[in-house]
Amino acid sequence: MTGTRDSLYVSRRKIQPRAAHGRYARLRVLAMLVLLGLYYVLPWLSVGGEPLVLLDLPQRRFHVFGLTLMPQDLYLLTALLVVAAFTLFLFTTLAGRLWCGYACPQTVWTEAFMWMERWVEGDARARARLDRSRWNAGKLLQRGGKHLLWIAFALATGLSFVAYFVPARELFAAAFSLELSGWPLFWSLFYGFATWGNAGFLREQVCKYMCPYARFQSAMFDKDTLIIAYDEKRGEPRKSLARKLARQPDGTSATPGDCVDCSICVQVCPVGIDIRDGLQYECIACAACVDACNAVMDSVGKPRSLVRYTSDRHDAEGRFRIARPRLLGYGLVWVLAVAGFGLLVLTRNPVALDVVRDRKQLYREHVDGSVENVYAVKLSNKSGEPQHYRLRAEMATGASVQLDPAEIDVAAGAHESVTVTARIAEPPPGVSKIRFQVLESGAAGHADDHVATFLAPAGG
């Protein structure tokens, strides 16, 4: 059998994208500065003496924007993931891959690394020449300087990541005094190495082959989703093709389109695609090609927007359609999910009560006819302040119950397990229900309650 077969693997061609300048480039820089600023600053902020964001795994306390969450609040994380999923569906259907182009961590850190690379090694042509040149003192100095900047920035990123789990002041003090060890050291180095590798070397490979979003986002696209596209009707035939046709012996000629075939849209693309070939899954909608093409159109006296943000419907019918069934459906579900999450946060109980009857003994009878059961009462204080709680209990019949002890102190974010005796003067015979309630000191209503069983002699 003769012939060739296409390879399933294509060796990577290193991309040295040119810097784009324009409105969308400024938006990307602004997004990068804001997002990186939040990432590095949040671990240092505090509210009321508590960290603004700290996921304290050893103590099982999670401080998130003024809330102190416990493992019992895992349902809030589930609700938050549901909100995030529908936000993704809604935003992708409406605006395509704007997240990828402006806010994705891979894009943000790659933009920062490329800025440092341009600062040390020069523009795209200078970097390409440096790649082809032999190793010498100058090349070693430039490459070494670039990687020193990258590594320092990556280590700061790794330490800042761990600062979301270990108090930032303790972590950085230990790091600068070379006393960092154990898991904080491991994860700082691991995350720093991952940042250095992903943003410094892999770059577009992450978007093309590692990120699942690029694969399934097309399922959320419709004819009105915002995309970046080349206006083929206006741009074709390109200048080089028009010249080629004019040289045909049969006298064929063509009026050239607005595309001057400068390929600058390809040169500035961070993933190395040609947007003139149509919509491709590799496109991250960063609009670098839009800025570059607009600059070329300005220089040749042609209208802008040969490459632009548009949609399939706009290209076909000349209009955008915002209100459409899929978007309205996603929007409605998203609003309900956000409202539900907000309701869960607002109605979250700052104390959790759990009661288990001691199974080692059935009950105790006293000479006065009263009966007592022993219970293990577990209290979780999910607030950021120590609390003084009062316990009370009552039977399903309304009979009063005497508890000992009836008051419990629990430290901030702590769990307390206390043995409590419940004594009833005239209990109903057999097994019946008893409701325990815990009240915050001075609170009018109960903070939480729990129904347990009470065991009494069958004869009454």
Side-chain angles (χ1 to χ4, degrees), residues 65 76 181 191 240 244 255 268 291 416 448 457:
F65 298 105
L76 289 177
S181 60
Y191 199 80
S240 58
K244 183 178 179 180
T255 302
V268 299
D291 283 332
E416 287 288 342
D448 198 7

Side-chain angles (χ1 to χ4, degrees), residues 14-25:
K14 187 175 181 179
I15 299 173
Q16 294 285 12
R18 292 178 56 171
H21 304 282
R23 176 174 55 183
Y24 299 112

Side-chain angles (χ1 to χ4, degrees), residues 133-215:
S133 67
R134 294 182 178 181
W135 282 97
N136 52 37
K139 183 172 181 177
L140 184 63
L141 182 63
Q142 283 186 297
R143 285 290 158 88
K146 177 185 74 174
H147 282 283
L148 282 177
L149 283 177
W150 281 3
I151 290 172
F153 195 70
L155 287 176
T157 301
L159 285 169
S160 296
F161 173 77
V162 177
Y164 285 91
F165 302 88
V166 178
R169 290 168 178 81
E170 299 176 13
L171 178 72
F172 278 83
F176 287 126
S177 61
L178 302 181
E179 296 176 355
L180 195 63
S181 60
W183 286 113
L185 175 62
F186 170 79
W187 285 112
S188 296
L189 293 177
F190 178 85
Y191 199 80
F193 177 78
T195 303
W196 180 60
N198 287 343
F201 297 95
L202 295 179
R203 293 186 178 177
E204 79 285 350
Q205 302 293 92
V206 174
C207 302
K208 286 184 176 181
Y209 306 116
M210 298 172 62
C211 178
Y213 181 48
R215 303 292 178 175

